[in-house]
Amino acid sequence: MKLDDKLYLVRFNTDKLSHIKIANPSVCLQQCQDKPCTRFCPAHVYDWDEEEKRIAVGYEGCLECGTCLIGCPFGNIDWKYPRGGFGVSWKNG
Ligand code: SF4
Ligand code: SF4
């Protein structure tokens, strides 16, 4: 099964509160040249906003894979599981 087909099986119950925060946005702007979060997240949650000069976080699509806990070279992503009852579930499982 292709990844896109698997992602089709994901269901989201989106919380109004984000379970992801950028701890210090100035680190992204001033120290992190490569901004790897814009590439390692399989759900494309992180996007560099050139106008606002900050990382935009589309937490609603988070797949809860945990990669950002180890992937940010500055440990600058404050990630927790969504509150109980929110987040991802699976259509077949
Ligand atoms: Fe900011 Fe970490 Fe993303 Fe770099 S990888 S832009 S420090 S959140
Ligand atoms: Fe992206 Fe995975 Fe982090 Fe969610 S836990 S924001 S899917 S890298």
Side-chain angles (χ1 to χ4, degrees), residues 8-42:
Y8 176 72
L9 300 175
V10 179
R11 292 290 176 266
F12 296 92
N13 185 14
T14 305
D15 197 347
K16 287 180 185 158
L17 298 173
S18 175
H19 61 288
I20 307 170
K21 285 192 185 116
I22 302 297
N24 185 349
S26 66
V27 170
C28 306
L29 178 62
Q30 294 166 0
Q31 297 183 51
C32 189
Q33 301 295 320
D34 294 339
K35 300 180 179 36
C37 59
T38 61
R39 297 189 304 278
F40 64 61
C41 173

Side-chain angles (χ1 to χ4, degrees), residues 1-12 63 89-92:
M1 187 185 279
K2 290 180 186 170
L3 179 60
D4 284 350
D5 295 332
K6 287 183 179 173
L7 289 176
Y8 176 72
L9 300 175
V10 179
R11 292 290 176 266
F12 296 92
L63 296 166
S89 59
W90 305 92
K91 195 174 179 184
N92 296 326

Side-chain angles (χ1 to χ4, degrees), residues 19-20 40-43 45-46 61-69 79:
H19 61 288
I20 307 170
F40 64 61
C41 173
V45 163
Y46 304 100
C62 174
L63 296 166
E64 301 172 31
C65 72
T67 304
C68 50
L69 289 174
W79 186 94

